[in-house]
Amino acid sequence: MNHTMLLLLLPALLCCAEAPATAEWPATPPLQAPAVTSAPAPSRYAWLPKGRYLPAQTVAARFAPPAGYQRVAVAEGSFGQWLRFLPLLPAGTPVTLYNGQPKDRQDVHAAVLDLDVGSRDLQQCADAVIRLRAEYLFSQNPDQVHFHLTSGDDIGFRAWYSGTGFRVTGNDVRPTPRPAEAPTHASLRRYLDQIFTYAGTLSLSKELQPTPLARVQPGDVLIRGGSPGHAVLVLDVATQPRTGRRVALLAQSYMPAQQMHVLQNVWDETGLGAWFYLDPAADRVSTPEWTFRSTELGRFE
């Protein structure tokens, strides 16, 4: 959910809010294509304190596919593989907001990701997707991290930590000098807080390639760009070999900023548990707190 064009330059204070115009930014190197599958090293989840990663408390360990389904293949080193082994907090953990208060609805989640939300109302729906994509890219090569603002400006982490920040004035976004620093995880978080302020569902939707629901893969995003808008990340996908039916594990943050959580299939009448059947013949994809059009699936390039 994000700012309208009339409020383009206001900070993103509504879930998945938007912001700013156009300037010249250093180019970001293209992503590398990887290749088959085992759990990434715990160091790939750089926000976790050393020793905190528990193989038994991951998405893959806690959420087996429904009976008769098997996980789709993902490439070694891919975003999908990385998501599959995200760390989770213990079963039964409630979802809390950025200010430590409990989320009003505690019936829509099946698990909570072991991922900090920050102390400001920033990491809402699209921002949480951006956060995980940034963390994945950071684990591969920090210089690959870049995101567009609502203005269309492409803000690369490499330029930012090397001493080129940005300033929003009226409807303009302009490069501005900032202290250069090492590309540490702490500097990534400071960079992301600025991105969260001026990006959201509208900007993120433009970064994604439209993808047919029938081809959904881990790492895809259900997204409605605008204000209001929403974004839900596909954490994992399993298929039924006999029929080709695909089910997905979905995760979201929401408004106000809150811990990212694996969604519970609250209509589960088919033994799917936390998995959602994504019917390519349907017009809509229903999640507990948002309904998307079946055409609103996107993929990172």
Side-chain angles (χ1 to χ4, degrees):
M1 328 165 178
N2 299 69
H3 297 340
T4 63
M5 297 305 290
L6 292 177
L7 299 175
L8 196 58
L9 297 179
L10 293 178
L13 299 178
L14 298 177
C15 175
C16 310
E18 310 296 343
T22 309
E24 295 297 320
W25 304 95
T28 300
L31 300 183
Q32 297 284 318
V36 188
T37 289
S38 57
S43 61
R44 294 298 187 188
Y45 305 96
W47 66 91
L48 289 178
K50 189 173 182 179
R52 181 153 157 169
Y53 188 87
L54 301 174
Q57 292 284 359
T58 64
V59 172
R62 291 258 297 273
F63 294 98
Y69 288 80
Q70 59 189 36
R71 284 188 162 92
V72 298
V74 291
E76 192 78 30
S78 67
F79 188 36
Q81 182 211 22
W82 186 87
L83 291 172
R84 187 169 279 174
F85 293 95
L86 278 172
L88 301 175
L89 292 171
T93 299
V95 176
T96 59
L97 310 180
Y98 70 96
N99 57 10
Q101 295 299 308
K103 175 183 169 79
D104 286 342
R105 291 195 65 179
Q106 295 289 334
D107 63 324
V108 300
H109 72 278
V112 180
L113 270 62
D114 191 356
L115 177 73
D116 62 282
V117 70
S119 59
R120 299 163 62 193
D121 190 8
L122 290 176
Q123 194 171 289
Q124 300 179 353
C125 57
D127 311 295
V129 175
I130 290 171
R131 170 74 188 278
L132 286 181
R133 181 65 178 179
E135 293 282 2
Y136 163 70
L137 294 175
F138 183 82
S139 76
Q140 303 292 304
N141 177 357
D143 290 350
Q144 292 181 338
V145 178
H146 73 108
F147 294 96
H148 290 80
L149 308 183
T150 302
S151 62
D153 295 285
D154 189 356
I155 308 297
F157 180 50
R158 180 174 62 186
W160 192 88
Y161 75 71
S162 298
T164 303
F166 66 93
R167 181 178 65 251
V168 176
T169 305
N171 287 330
D172 293 329
V173 180
R174 291 286 176 253
T176 187
R178 65 175 304 277
E181 55 186 308
T184 63
H185 189 264
S187 63
L188 175 74
R189 288 294 287 114
R190 289 191 291 274
Y191 159 84
L192 285 174
D193 277 353
Q194 273 206 288
I195 297 298
F196 296 162
T197 303
Y198 296 106
T201 53
L202 185 58
S203 58
L204 181 60
S205 66
K206 293 177 180 178
E207 295 202 28
L208 303 172
Q209 295 299 311
T211 300
L213 201 61
R215 298 180 189 171
V216 62
Q217 291 283 346
D220 290 348
V221 184
L222 287 162
I223 189 163
R224 171 88 49 84
S227 182
H230 192 42
V232 167
L233 180 64
V234 179
L235 288 183
D236 206 352
V237 174
T239 186
Q240 191 176 50
R242 184 175 55 83
T243 64
R245 285 166 57 108
R246 292 193 171 203
V247 294
L249 282 176
L250 306 176
Q252 69 168 19
S253 176
Y254 206 54
M255 182 175 65
Q258 56 197 251
Q259 291 175 298
M260 199 171 192
H261 44 281
V262 180
L263 288 170
Q264 177 67 43
N265 185 340
V266 296
W267 308 281
D268 181 20
E269 300 171 350
T270 56
L272 295 181
W275 298 79
F276 291 74
Y277 171 48
L278 303 185
D279 184 356
D283 295 330
R284 299 283 185 269
V285 176
S286 294
T287 68
E289 296 185 284
W290 195 271
T291 298
F292 297 92
R293 303 180 189 96
S294 60
T295 55
E296 293 178 321
L297 183 72
R299 180 171 296 168
F300 288 101
E301 292 189 63

